[in-house]
Amino acid sequence: MGETNQRVAYGNTLKMLGKDDERIVVLDADLGGSTMGKIFEAAYPERHFEMGIAEANMTSVAAGLAQTGKIPFTNSFAVFAGGRAFDQIRQTIAIGKLNVKICGASSGLSDFGDGATHQCVEDMAIFRSIPNMTVVCPADANETVEAVKAIAGYEGPCYLRLNRNEYDNVTPEGRKFQIGVPYVMKEGEEIAVCATGYMLKEALEAAEILKDEISVRVINVPTVKPIDEEVLISLLKGCRGIVTAEEHTVKGGLGSAVAEILRRKPIPMEFVGIKDVFGCSSHSYRELLEYYGLTAESVAEAVRSIANI
């Protein structure tokens, strides 16, 4: 599709899927112009529902639509998609194992101008804690396209985490998305970097920075729950240390998920992520990433730290 923005890739993919599957419906909470639900609305207005600033109600309606055989996608900023509607997600969608797809746009620090109230740095931890929930965090627009196809065809509750900003694709276009399956993006022998979402880009750049110092294996983990434990352990084989990288709090996200898997196979680990604090407003996305240590240089330093243990 040639897109470099996850939200636009998401909207265009929903439109494409909606052409062949009339069960797909889309619900927005007054943010269709930002979530790109408007793309689906323009093509299929009869299957788009504008719910207003009422995420809890939107989520309950989506649950009802799922019980009629529809495949509802709900859309809002990540901070509202899970935060305002947690009770409805837990009590109705997750307990009932309903086929609802929850899309959290503008996740992490990507809504750089609006500060802590609009920057969701804890959403993966929240959704990981909910039984029956699948949590997907694609790296870029290319992977978003394939992830949306995969979750649309998957029976059960899913959370999809999307970035707000434009940045270059680092994953190949058209690579089939397998829910729960991590894969190697760059081979290496000494230290593994497991990255999810935007931080895959920084992890690959860190490996390039370190190419003359340390052999770094970069692993993409686009599904944060579930993670195929056997596959991940096999991908880490031979490495003497691990760094995880995520645009999310280090409490309960990718780092925690990897540590849980490796609890019986102790290995030195370092987490690159947000250190148990909220976001803040800034003039640019890059400025925030640097302030919170979510850069290739930060990943490289974490690799050096683990390598010298």
Side-chain angles (χ1 to χ4, degrees):
M1 297 176 69
E3 300 292 349
T4 56
N5 185 288
Q6 286 189 313
R7 295 177 300 157
V8 176
Y10 167 73
N12 284 335
T13 306
L14 276 185
K15 175 184 173 181
M16 178 187 67
L17 293 173
K19 180 179 180 181
D20 295 324
D21 193 340
E22 293 186 355
R23 296 175 300 165
I24 293 176
V25 295
V26 173
L27 298 86
D28 269 298
D30 198 44
L31 288 168
S34 183
T35 67
M36 296 301 158
K38 68 178 184 180
I39 297 174
F40 188 92
E41 179 185 16
Y44 316 108
E46 73 284 358
R47 285 190 275 146
H48 179 273
F49 303 92
E50 174 52 66
M51 306 305 296
I53 306 173
E55 281 82 0
N57 183 52
M58 173 178 70
T59 303
S60 292
V61 170
L65 288 166
Q67 289 179 307
T68 70
K70 301 298 184 184
I71 305 174
F73 283 75
T74 67
N75 300 289
S76 189
F77 283 10
V79 71
F80 306 135
R84 285 182 175 173
F86 179 83
D87 188 51
Q88 288 73 22
I89 292 168
R90 182 191 186 277
Q91 302 294 81
T92 307
I93 292 172
I95 290 177
K97 300 181 183 180
L98 299 182
N99 194 27
V100 177
K101 319 304 175 183
I102 302 157
C103 180
S106 297
S107 67
L109 303 170
S110 63
D111 186 7
F112 58 84
D114 288 332
T117 58
H118 284 59
Q119 294 162 358
C120 198
V121 301
E122 69 279 7
D123 50 325
M124 290 197 294
I126 291 169
F127 280 98
R128 277 190 69 235
S129 73
I130 302 174
N132 301 322
M133 186 63 66
T134 293
V135 181
V136 174
C137 183
D140 55 22
N142 281 347
E143 195 162 60
T144 298
V145 172
E146 301 307 316
V148 174
K149 293 177 186 176
I151 67 173
Y154 172 81
E155 184 70 27
C158 295
Y159 174 63
L160 178 69
R161 187 180 209 246
L162 299 181
N163 194 293
R164 183 182 183 92
N165 298 292
E166 301 271 348
Y167 57 90
D168 291 339
N169 289 297
V170 294
T171 64
E173 187 173 358
R175 187 186 196 280
K176 184 178 179 180
F177 192 95
Q178 294 179 278
I179 292 173
V181 182
Y183 61 94
V184 172
M185 287 288 297
K186 179 190 175 297
E187 295 289 351
E189 301 302 323
E190 296 181 74
I191 306 297
V193 178
C194 295
T196 195
Y198 171 82
M199 289 303 292
L200 180 64
K201 175 179 179 292
E202 299 295 331
L204 290 167
E205 291 180 13
E208 181 66 20
I209 290 170
L210 294 167
K211 65 181 180 180
D212 296 326
E213 299 177 51
I214 303 166
S215 178
V216 177
R217 184 180 308 167
V218 179
I219 298 170
N220 185 16
V221 190
T223 310
V224 181
K225 181 189 176 184
I227 299 174
D228 188 310
E229 297 190 9
E230 289 186 5
V231 170
L232 182 62
I233 290 169
S234 70
L235 295 180
L236 294 170
K237 188 175 181 180
C239 291
R240 58 189 179 90
I242 301 168
V243 172
T244 60
E246 58 193 308
E247 189 188 350
H248 183 271
T249 175
V250 294
K251 309 290 186 181
L254 175 65
S256 297
V258 173
E260 290 163 15
I261 291 171
L262 298 176
R263 65 194 179 277
R264 295 179 183 173
K265 298 179 181 292
I267 184 171
M269 288 187 66
E270 185 63 62
F271 298 166
V272 174
I274 298 167
K275 307 302 184 185
D276 199 23
V277 295
F278 288 109
C280 62
S281 59
S282 177
H283 294 294
S284 73
Y285 183 41
R286 189 67 198 175
E287 189 176 43
L288 275 187
L289 293 172
E290 291 174 357
Y291 181 77
Y292 287 98
L294 303 179
T295 64
E297 290 76 14
S298 298
V299 175
E301 283 304 309
V303 170
R304 291 187 182 107
S305 174
I306 287 291
N308 291 329
I309 288 177

